[in-house]
Amino acid sequence: MIEFYVDGLIGMVISFFLIGAMAVWVMRLLLENSFKKSQIINLILSIISLIFFEANAYYQNHLTKHNTKTILNQVIEYKNKTGQYPNSETIMIDRDYIKYHFNNQNTDNQWPYFYWQEFKNPYCRHRFNFETQEWVRYCTD
């Protein structure tokens, strides 16, 4: 089951419609050759909204990356102290965009599953590969 949160997706959809509306407003301004105050205000407010949505998405991703690094350091520190990775119940994560799964009892799966999800694109995740110690980005359609 794919679990994702739509906060950023809503912002992406609104941004898409704002860009379309801005294109229409610009074309109307250019074709009519009359600059109406309401059209200019619409353009300015749309640009401000787009900047806000992009800045918020950037901030949310930056905050999630920071929180993920903190949790990853805790997981690695636990592994270094005990010789094994912590169970999912041991690591408490209060963020919706960060997930950690591991079961020490399962001998088939020797690596934890740890990822963070992009804010604006819930179908893209950054998974940490514990074997290679690298982040891998993958997106589903």
Side-chain angles (χ1 to χ4, degrees), residues 77-100:
E77 183 179 321
Y78 185 93
K79 165 81 162 95
N80 291 338
K81 283 183 181 177
T82 64
Q84 60 186 359
Y85 291 103
N87 278 336
S88 300
E89 296 83 26
T90 308
I91 301 292
M92 298 307 246
I93 301 173
D94 63 346
R95 304 278 182 237
D96 292 334
Y97 294 97
I98 303 171
K99 298 293 180 197
Y100 175 83

Side-chain angles (χ1 to χ4, degrees), residues 7-122:
D7 303 350
L9 187 61
I10 292 170
M12 187 168 67
V13 170
I14 291 172
S15 296
F16 174 76
F17 284 113
L18 276 176
I19 290 170
M22 285 174 42
V24 170
W25 292 329
V26 167
M27 291 305 293
R28 284 178 58 192
L29 278 172
L30 294 175
L31 293 175
E32 292 176 1
N33 284 333
S34 64
F35 296 100
K36 294 181 182 174
K37 190 176 183 180
S38 64
Q39 290 173 329
I40 294 173
I41 290 173
N42 285 342
L43 279 173
I44 291 171
L45 290 177
S46 296
I47 291 169
I48 290 171
S49 298
L50 284 173
I51 291 170
F52 171 76
F53 287 136
E54 289 301 316
N56 182 47
Y58 175 80
Y59 172 74
Q60 293 297 330
N61 281 340
H62 181 74
L63 183 64
T64 302
K65 281 186 215 178
H66 175 74
N67 291 335
T68 303
K69 286 179 184 177
T70 302
I71 295 167
L72 180 62
N73 289 338
Q74 292 173 351
V75 168
I76 292 173
E77 183 179 321
Y78 185 93
K79 165 81 162 95
N80 291 338
K81 283 183 181 177
T82 64
Q84 60 186 359
Y85 291 103
N87 278 336
S88 300
E89 296 83 26
T90 308
I91 301 292
M92 298 307 246
I93 301 173
D94 63 346
R95 304 278 182 237
D96 292 334
Y97 294 97
I98 303 171
K99 298 293 180 197
Y100 175 83
H101 302 287
F102 187 67
N103 183 358
N104 284 336
Q105 312 308 326
N106 185 359
T107 57
D108 296 336
N109 187 9
Q110 60 181 342
W111 306 107
Y113 187 72
F114 184 58
Y115 69 88
W116 67 273
Q117 176 181 303
E118 290 181 11
F119 180 75
K120 202 168 170 186
N121 189 353

